[in-house]
Amino acid sequence: MFRRREPVPFAFVAEADQFRSNVTPPPRERATPGQLAGRTLMGLTVVAGLVGSLLFGMPALSPEQSPSRTQQSEATSDGR
């Protein structure tokens, strides 16, 4: 019913989780104050752009209120 698996030619791939490296990676470099300021300014610029687009776009997306005066062409308003 169950077949026996054939041996894999690269058996070390199947056993890779058993081996751990004793070499630790070097610590990450800390960001300089200039880099932190640049990242902060970039984030604030993106957020301000999104907020500004929402503020300017909301009036265009809101349903139009019934106009107080209907628009008429000049020809009809002159009685032509």
Side-chain angles (χ1 to χ4, degrees), residues 53-54 56-64:
S53 66
L54 278 175
F56 286 118
M58 286 304 285
L61 293 174
S62 64
E64 190 175 332

Side-chain angles (χ1 to χ4, degrees), residues 7-75:
V8 184
F10 301 103
F12 63 88
V13 175
E15 299 172 359
D17 59 345
Q18 294 178 2
F19 300 103
R20 301 276 180 203
S21 173
N22 60 354
V23 178
T24 59
R28 290 179 52 181
E29 293 183 19
R30 296 188 60 121
T32 63
Q35 289 174 334
L36 288 176
R39 290 177 190 171
T40 303
L41 286 174
M42 181 61 72
L44 287 174
T45 303
V46 170
V47 169
L50 291 173
V51 169
S53 66
L54 278 175
L55 287 176
F56 286 118
M58 286 304 285
L61 293 174
S62 64
E64 190 175 332
Q65 302 293 331
S66 59
S68 60
R69 187 175 72 101
T70 58
Q71 292 181 349
Q72 294 178 345
S73 65
E74 280 187 33

